[in-house]
Amino acid sequence: MRGRVAVTWRRWGSPTSARQPSYGTAARADLWQCHRLAGHPHQRHLRSIGRRGGSDRFRPQTGLPLATYFSGPKLRWILDHVPGVREAAERGQALFGTIDTWLIWWLTGGPGRGAHVTDVTNASRTMLMNLSMLNWDEELLKIFGVPRQMLPRIVSSVDSQPWGMTQTDGPFADSVPVCGDLGDQQAALVGQACFAPGESKNTYGTGCFMLLNTGTSPVVSRSGLLTTVAYRVGNEPAVYALEGSIAVAGSLVQWLRDNLGLISRSFDIEALAASVPDNGGIYFVPAFSGLFAPYWRSDARGLIAGMTGYMNKGHLARAVLEATAYQTRDVLEAMRKDSGVALTSLRVDGGMASNDLLMQFQADVLGVPVVRPRIAETTSVGAAYAAGLAVGFWDNFDHLRQRWQHDKTWTPRMEETRRNELYRGWEKAVERAMGWVEDSPARSGSHGS
């Protein structure tokens, strides 16, 4: 589930439209890519928090930089600007959660009966949970002005004690235990069977998300990455991960399709990009709403650099695909600095992992093999694994490792000198994209080492 989506609803109300302008009995959802705070007067509150310790003020507790990307600041916006929410929250009548919380609450009975819970992985993306205590941090709740009574109970990702049962009059028409819960990227890590420290995966979707298993001790990043909980099984110690979040990946292909009309279907980009042997010297930095990991620069904006009269639509399509590969290398370099682990291969999944041209270029620009599993939708697989472990359908992680099946591997073909030359060009383009918004309140969001 999206741990960065903020949802509020009335404890006893019925869900209606998330688009309703007032609170009433409605659910309210602010999505993970919502940047409303960044351009709103409410941003002044976030800036004042940052002035008392910088944008890394809460990294020791949360593993996260101070940013509107996470659901805690979004919740603060809802409490301050949606009529009736704060008053209802203080009376214990309003509930908050991420999407998993909302679904579990309704699946287990809703008003009067539903389980109001979230697991450690989703809670770790709110900026309100203490990574070491695995519980809500009272200091952070006070700073963000969030009433404790509206927050869900934090549970393990895999729990043999069900939080509730589905209702016989519900979508499953049966009583099924609800006992497994993972954030979307953590679910993909589990679905890729990355259970040992040093194992990693990269999910290519609307955005792009790389996770590296760091074991049972959180690693605080000094290179612009996020520290998160990877999963927790029952009462065992939590397993942590470093994550690099890229805002624009597959959505850039959609932009090429919908805004420029250069392709009619998203998968047509592979043939168009393959119509030319290289990018023609151009780089596309897709900082439409700033840059995420490892830069965290909201003052950056998108640009196409290196254009000449030689360039055609094939070169642009290739630069669009290569942007995702270069951003992935940015994250990988940061992971090497923070963890000291040299990646030997990268497991990939998500919709863009079906693009063979992109995957080959990814292997070339990283210099390591890229491996795709037979089942590319590993987020769903990981969620199923969590539930199956909880009810005893699968015995342990070894059983799950045996289920992972290889589909295809791409090995690097590019000379190291060429790889480094191309990457230096990308770094120059990124540098020119920064500082575009001169009055941006989030220049302090840079987290370079």
Side-chain angles (χ1 to χ4, degrees):
M1 288 300 134
R2 289 286 189 189
R4 302 162 299 276
V5 176
V7 187
T8 54
W9 68 98
R10 190 177 291 277
R11 184 183 295 273
W12 302 104
S14 301
T16 56
S17 169
R19 295 186 296 271
Q20 286 197 193
S22 62
Y23 177 58
T25 59
R28 169 88 190 201
D30 277 22
L31 303 183
W32 72 280
Q33 287 178 316
C34 174
H35 292 273
R36 209 168 352 209
L37 273 70
H40 194 279
H42 178 66
Q43 176 73 15
R44 287 194 296 268
H45 176 72
L46 221 56
R47 291 167 65 186
S48 68
I49 293 174
R51 279 196 294 269
R52 301 188 200 111
S55 55
D56 285 338
R57 177 180 176 183
F58 302 128
R59 271 194 187 270
Q61 301 104 302
T62 69
L64 310 175
L66 186 60
T68 59
Y69 174 60
F70 307 106
S71 53
K74 291 182 175 71
L75 174 58
R76 173 61 187 260
W77 188 95
I78 293 172
L79 287 166
D80 287 350
H81 296 281
V82 179
V85 177
R86 181 170 291 281
E87 292 78 6
E90 290 172 350
R91 293 195 302 268
Q93 295 177 358
L95 301 179
F96 162 78
T98 45
I99 291 294
D100 62 310
T101 308
W102 164 256
L103 290 175
I104 292 172
W105 191 74
W106 280 104
L107 285 173
T108 55
R113 294 179 295 174
H116 187 215
V117 299
T118 190
D119 91 302
V120 288
T121 67
N122 285 288
S124 72
R125 312 316 297 276
T126 62
M127 197 178 273
L128 300 174
M129 189 192 83
N130 187 295
L131 278 179
S132 299
M133 298 189 302
L134 301 178
N135 208 342
W136 303 119
D137 189 293
E138 294 295 340
E139 178 189 4
L140 294 175
L141 298 186
K142 183 177 179 180
I143 290 171
F144 282 101
V146 174
R148 173 69 179 258
Q149 58 267 34
M150 75 182 305
L151 300 178
R153 178 169 62 95
I154 299 176
V155 296
S156 293
S157 313
V158 177
D159 198 335
S160 60
Q161 301 298 316
W163 311 311
M165 309 292 288
T166 61
Q167 305 300 294
T168 54
D169 58 351
F172 301 112
D174 201 353
S175 182
V176 178
V178 180
C179 48
D181 183 16
L182 286 164
D184 54 352
Q185 299 312 317
Q186 291 92 336
L189 189 75
V190 171
Q192 288 274 35
C194 296
F195 301 126
E199 294 181 331
S200 66
K201 67 87 196 174
N202 199 27
T203 297
Y204 300 79
T206 305
C208 197
F209 304 90
M210 182 186 287
L211 264 72
L212 172 72
N213 184 324
T214 60
T216 55
S217 298
V219 175
V220 178
S221 175
R222 291 177 174 82
S223 305
L225 302 177
L226 311 178
T227 305
T228 188
V229 180
Y231 55 85
R232 189 185 188 195
V233 177
N235 293 322
E236 296 178 12
V239 173
Y240 295 88
L242 285 171
E243 177 178 333
S245 305
I246 298 166
V248 179
S251 59
L252 184 59
V253 177
Q254 296 168 359
W255 177 87
L256 194 74
R257 179 195 66 196
D258 300 338
N259 291 39
L260 297 190
L262 292 186
I263 52 176
S264 57
R265 299 164 298 181
S266 292
F267 61 79
D268 291 337
I269 192 173
E270 185 169 8
L272 181 57
S275 68
V276 293
D278 53 40
N279 64 12
I282 68 169
Y283 295 86
F284 196 142
V285 182
F288 292 153
S289 55
L291 288 167
F292 282 18
Y295 305 102
W296 295 102
R297 292 288 293 263
S298 63
D299 63 341
R301 286 298 178 268
L303 63 76
I304 302 172
M307 288 193 294
T308 66
Y310 167 74
M311 191 202 86
N312 62 37
K313 61 183 180 180
H315 297 111
L316 181 59
R318 200 171 187 103
V320 163
L321 292 180
E322 291 181 356
T324 293
Y326 287 126
Q327 290 181 99
T328 298
R329 176 161 173 179
D330 286 341
V331 170
L332 179 60
E333 295 295 339
M335 285 186 173
R336 284 173 176 163
K337 291 178 183 177
D338 282 337
S339 68
V341 174
L343 196 69
T344 56
S345 67
L346 178 66
R347 293 188 175 186
V348 299
D349 54 69
M352 293 183 79
S354 63
N355 189 309
D356 288 358
L357 187 150
L358 170 60
M359 293 298 101
Q360 180 59 57
F361 187 77
Q362 186 69 88
D364 288 339
V365 80
L366 295 182
V368 299
V370 168
V371 184
R372 183 175 66 198
R374 184 166 296 179
I375 300 177
E377 295 302 329
T378 54
T379 298
S380 301
V381 173
Y385 283 173
L389 285 171
V391 299
F393 186 81
W394 290 296
D395 296 330
N396 50 46
F397 288 151
D398 289 336
H399 196 172
L400 298 183
R401 282 192 183 93
Q402 294 169 11
R403 295 186 57 81
W404 189 92
Q405 293 181 307
H406 166 270
D407 177 46
K408 188 171 183 177
T409 297
W410 292 266
T411 56
R413 300 174 183 169
M414 187 179 291
E415 294 287 340
E416 185 175 0
T417 53
R418 178 60 174 162
R419 176 185 306 128
N420 293 336
E421 177 187 356
L422 289 174
Y423 189 58
R424 282 195 300 272
W426 166 258
E427 291 178 312
K428 286 195 297 184
V430 169
E431 182 180 355
R432 284 157 174 76
M434 294 180 183
W436 198 264
V437 183
E438 294 182 358
D439 61 346
S440 172
R443 280 189 64 91
S444 61
S446 177
H447 299 283
S449 59

